[in-house]
Amino acid sequence: MSEEIVIKGKENGPLLVMKDGKVLFALCRCGLSKKKPYCDGSHKGSGFEAPEVELKVE
Ligand code: FES
């Protein structure tokens, strides 16, 4: 059985590392998190801007 790993960059938010459609963890890409490398929600209201992206790991 194959497992699908996807890294999804939320618009203006973190990188979600997902396996088979479930979020395993969220990585900060705004640089403001106090729990790096994980997102702690600090990007909200900070003005951080980033496009939505999706990468499939094969
Ligand atoms: S992306 Fe959420 S705190 Fe940085």
Side-chain angles (χ1 to χ4, degrees):
M1 185 173 145
S2 69
E3 297 173 338
E4 184 178 63
I5 304 291
V6 174
I7 300 172
K8 188 172 193 172
K10 302 261 298 178
E11 184 175 9
N12 305 331
L15 295 172
L16 303 179
V17 180
M18 306 172 71
K19 179 180 171 186
D20 297 332
K22 293 185 180 176
V23 176
L24 299 177
F25 50 86
L27 296 173
C28 176
R29 66 173 173 162
C30 74
L32 300 172
S33 176
K34 302 277 190 281
K35 296 182 177 179
K36 290 183 190 85
Y38 304 105
C39 171
D40 69 355
S42 296
H43 61 274
K44 295 176 189 168
S46 69
F48 172 69
E49 293 182 16
E52 184 172 290
V53 294
E54 185 170 307
L55 305 168
K56 290 191 174 141
V57 181
E58 301 193 23

